[in-house]
Amino acid sequence: MKLNFKTRIALNYFFATGIVVALVFAIVFISLKTTIYESLDSDLNYESEVHLEELDLENMVFSNREEWEEREHEEVEVNPVFVQIINSEGKITDKSPNLNADRLQFFPEKEDHLHFNTIFNNRLIRQVQEPVKVDGKLSGYIITAMSFEASQKIIDQLWVILLISYPIIVIVLFFISRFLAGRSIAPIKDITQITERINQNNLQERVNLPENKDELYNLSASINSLLKRIEEALERERQFTSDASHELRTPLAALRGNLEVLIRKVRNPEEYEKRIKTSLLEIDRLSEMVEQLLFLARFNHTSQELEHLDLIILLDESIQRNKETIKLKNLKVEFINEAERSIKVPKYHTQIIVENLLSNAIKYSAEGEKIQILVAEKNTEAFFQITNYGITIKPEDLQKVFEPFYRTQQVKDHKINGTGLGLSIVRKAAETIQASVNLSTSNLKGTTFKITFKKSSSKS
């Protein structure tokens, strides 16, 4: 049988409170019963001692019997005390006047001083048998008894009251618990209803935060935070898809246009060569863009590699790979190493970062300019920065340049080729190895990209 959450909570409360109430009732019943028995037994012991002092031990009879009878006529006893004396042979030698012709039953098998229940004239009584000794020799017994019916009636009534009230109390507690459980989980119902309404086209809706800042408040806040991250991720995905489709469409359109021009009429070899070269350039651009797009996609599933390499070696290898381009633009590369020891960084991801930043620095530097590369350490962090003194990035574009396909207006004005994916790849690679990317720019100090490796990312 499937029960809803509210009913399961109520049942848990039901069983828990049922056990607690049962224990409380048992303690109350046992405590009251024990108190009644102890009170009655104490009275019996007192009466036995009093009448034992009034006993003529030699004849085993009461010495003040006449006074006793007179006192009984003058007083009304609510709970009369019955006293009986028997000798060592088991014969009755004396008894209290209120016994009249009746007699208390003697139980020789019972232990001395033991209090027990028995029947007298169809009435429940509490009785005790105390031995009477003279010079250490058993002379007989004094038997004392009191009516136990009133006390037993109280015990029985209490038992009945507890038996009747127990199921009523636990059932009432069940419904109260169910009601309170319903109120407690009301925010969960609200969360469920809202999340059911949320879909890909309706991510702006948020869960209402409860008034009390408890666990449900934290849950609601966490869900809202998750929805916000999902909304931002989907928005980035939409934007990325839109940009990618636009950027891929451009070289395809250029390629198609060139081919259509070629098939319209017969042309001379020079025209064919020119159009084919233009088409090949568009194909190269398209191939580069596809490769970079796949590169970005792979980063979502690529974990940090264990292989580490010296940062200086990675920078030097990248400079050597771009040596011809640097020479063509007559650029000067200034390399400054302020690190006191070798800096080990994740090889694969750092290589990607270095290659993209250096190629950008070369691409956007004017001929004859300088590119500065600095490697240093600070406290527990290591970093390197690449500075070029070419096209300056405007302050409003500092964060946008990391977005896929974004290219500043200055770059477009200078007609510098590119896909706008390089810095997106840099940021993604840095995030994967828990490194940070900072960009600063000014007309005097150029454009500087600083990559900082945390202690967990770099090994000195």
Side-chain angles (χ1 to χ4, degrees):
M1 182 175 60
K2 294 184 178 179
L3 301 175
N4 58 36
F5 187 52
K6 179 174 72 174
T7 303
R8 291 203 304 272
I9 293 177
L11 282 175
N12 290 335
Y13 279 124
F14 172 76
F15 289 119
T17 53
I19 293 171
V20 172
V21 172
L23 288 174
V24 171
F25 278 13
I27 292 170
V28 170
F29 179 78
I30 293 171
S31 299
L32 181 62
K33 185 177 180 180
T34 302
T35 302
I36 290 174
Y37 272 91
E38 288 178 350
S39 177
L40 200 57
D41 292 345
S42 177
D43 291 343
L44 284 174
N45 292 336
Y46 173 77
E47 294 293 341
S48 295
E49 291 175 3
V50 169
H51 291 95
L52 187 59
E53 293 177 357
E54 298 174 348
L55 188 63
D56 182 356
L57 298 177
E58 184 177 351
N59 299 313
M60 293 296 290
V61 295
F62 293 113
S63 58
N64 61 342
R65 184 175 179 80
E66 292 180 358
E67 181 183 344
W68 193 359
E69 290 177 350
E70 183 179 350
R71 187 170 64 247
E72 281 195 353
H73 283 296
E74 294 177 353
E75 296 178 357
V76 178
E77 294 185 272
V78 177
N79 194 14
V81 179
F82 304 104
V83 184
Q84 180 176 289
I85 306 297
I86 62 173
N87 59 21
S88 57
E89 297 175 357
K91 294 181 180 180
I92 298 175
T93 58
D94 205 351
K95 59 183 177 179
S96 59
N98 55 9
L99 282 173
N100 299 322
D102 299 319
R103 54 178 292 178
L104 296 173
Q105 187 177 358
F106 175 63
F107 298 91
E109 72 278 4
K110 298 286 186 182
E111 295 181 9
D112 296 342
H113 316 294
L114 178 68
H115 299 82
F116 56 91
N117 296 337
T118 185
I119 301 298
F120 172 68
N121 283 346
N122 297 322
R123 296 170 60 190
L124 183 63
I125 62 171
R126 185 78 171 163
Q127 183 172 311
V128 63
Q129 301 171 167
E130 300 284 357
V132 179
K133 295 182 179 180
V134 179
D135 298 330
K137 183 179 179 182
L138 181 65
S139 299
Y141 287 87
I142 177 171
I143 302 173
T144 310
M146 296 179 69
S147 175
F148 192 65
E149 287 187 336
S151 299
Q152 186 62 44
K153 187 176 181 180
I154 294 173
I155 294 173
D156 292 342
Q157 286 178 344
L158 177 62
W159 176 250
V160 171
I161 291 171
L162 294 179
L163 282 180
I164 294 174
S165 60
Y166 177 75
I168 296 174
I169 290 174
V170 293
I171 290 173
V172 171
L173 284 174
F174 170 76
F175 286 105
I176 293 175
S177 300
R178 196 169 185 273
F179 171 74
L180 294 176
R183 293 190 60 183
S184 299
I185 66 173
I188 297 179
K189 287 185 176 180
D190 183 44
I191 292 171
T192 304
Q193 292 172 356
I194 292 175
T195 51
E196 285 177 350
R197 293 198 301 267
I198 295 173
N199 53 44
Q200 187 172 351
N201 299 319
N202 182 29
L203 285 171
Q204 294 79 23
E205 191 165 0
R206 294 292 182 266
V207 176
N208 297 325
L209 296 177
E211 294 181 1
N212 297 324
K213 293 188 176 181
D214 51 13
E215 290 82 357
L216 288 176
Y217 181 93
N218 295 334
L219 174 62
S220 302
S222 298
I223 291 175
N224 286 341
S225 177
L226 175 62
L227 289 172
K228 182 180 179 181
R229 293 196 299 272
I230 293 173
E231 182 183 7
E232 292 173 350
L234 287 175
E235 183 59 34
R236 287 195 300 269
E237 182 184 348
R238 291 193 191 102
Q239 187 63 43
F240 179 82
T241 304
S242 175
D243 293 342
S245 62
H246 173 73
E247 294 294 331
L248 290 172
R249 196 180 294 116
T250 301
L252 287 174
L255 184 59
R256 181 183 181 87
N258 283 325
L259 294 176
E260 287 177 346
V261 168
L262 289 177
I263 64 174
R264 284 177 185 171
K265 64 179 182 177
V266 178
R267 300 180 183 275
N268 58 49
E270 290 79 10
E271 286 183 297
Y272 278 114
E273 183 179 356
K274 180 182 178 182
R275 292 292 178 180
I276 290 171
K277 284 182 178 180
T278 304
S279 298
L280 287 175
L281 288 174
E282 292 297 335
I283 290 172
D284 290 340
R285 182 186 171 200
L286 184 61
S287 298
E288 181 186 3
M289 191 180 304
V290 170
E291 184 179 350
Q292 289 180 327
L293 286 172
L294 292 174
F295 210 78
L296 280 172
R298 281 201 302 271
F299 270 126
N300 292 328
H301 309 285
T302 304
S303 59
Q304 183 179 350
E305 293 185 354
L306 296 177
E307 185 180 358
H308 284 66
L309 192 66
D310 193 335
L311 177 59
I312 302 298
I313 295 176
L314 288 174
L315 289 166
D316 184 63
E317 288 178 350
S318 183
I319 292 172
Q320 293 304 317
R321 280 193 296 272
N322 292 275
K323 188 175 181 180
E324 291 299 323
T325 311
I326 294 171
K327 188 176 180 181
L328 283 173
K329 296 188 72 171
N330 193 28
L331 299 175
K332 179 184 177 183
V333 178
E334 181 183 3
F335 195 99
I336 304 172
N337 182 12
E338 295 181 354
E340 296 180 355
R341 65 189 76 182
S342 174
I343 300 172
K344 301 291 185 181
V345 293
K347 176 183 175 182
Y348 177 72
H349 298 86
T350 307
Q351 191 175 47
I352 293 168
I353 295 170
V354 170
E355 190 66 28
N356 276 279
L357 291 181
L358 183 59
S359 62
N360 273 4
I362 294 170
K363 184 188 300 183
Y364 299 122
S365 291
E367 288 191 14
E369 286 286 357
K370 179 179 70 172
I371 296 175
Q372 185 186 76
I373 300 175
L374 170 67
V375 177
E377 288 180 292
K378 185 178 181 181
N379 299 328
T380 59
E381 296 178 338
F383 65 90
F384 80 92
Q385 60 187 36
I386 297 178
T387 304
N388 72 83
Y389 299 88
I391 300 173
T392 304
I393 301 174
K394 292 181 179 181
E396 59 267 24
D397 292 328
L398 289 179
Q399 292 303 318
K400 293 180 181 179
V401 294
F402 291 100
E403 297 176 3
F405 301 108
Y406 185 82
R407 308 192 76 208
T408 64
Q409 190 59 45
Q410 299 99 303
V411 171
K412 295 177 181 177
D413 293 341
H414 285 77
K415 296 181 180 180
I416 300 175
N417 293 328
T419 61
L421 292 172
L423 292 181
S424 299
I425 292 174
V426 168
R427 183 173 65 176
K428 198 72 176 178
E431 289 175 351
T432 305
I433 59 174
Q434 297 181 340
S436 62
V437 183
N438 291 304
L439 169 60
S440 59
T441 182
S442 70
N443 292 326
L444 297 177
K445 297 181 180 179
T447 300
T448 301
F449 286 90
K450 180 180 179 182
I451 308 297
T452 304
F453 300 93
K454 295 183 180 179
K455 191 174 182 180
S456 58
S457 301
S458 64
K459 297 179 180 179
S460 298

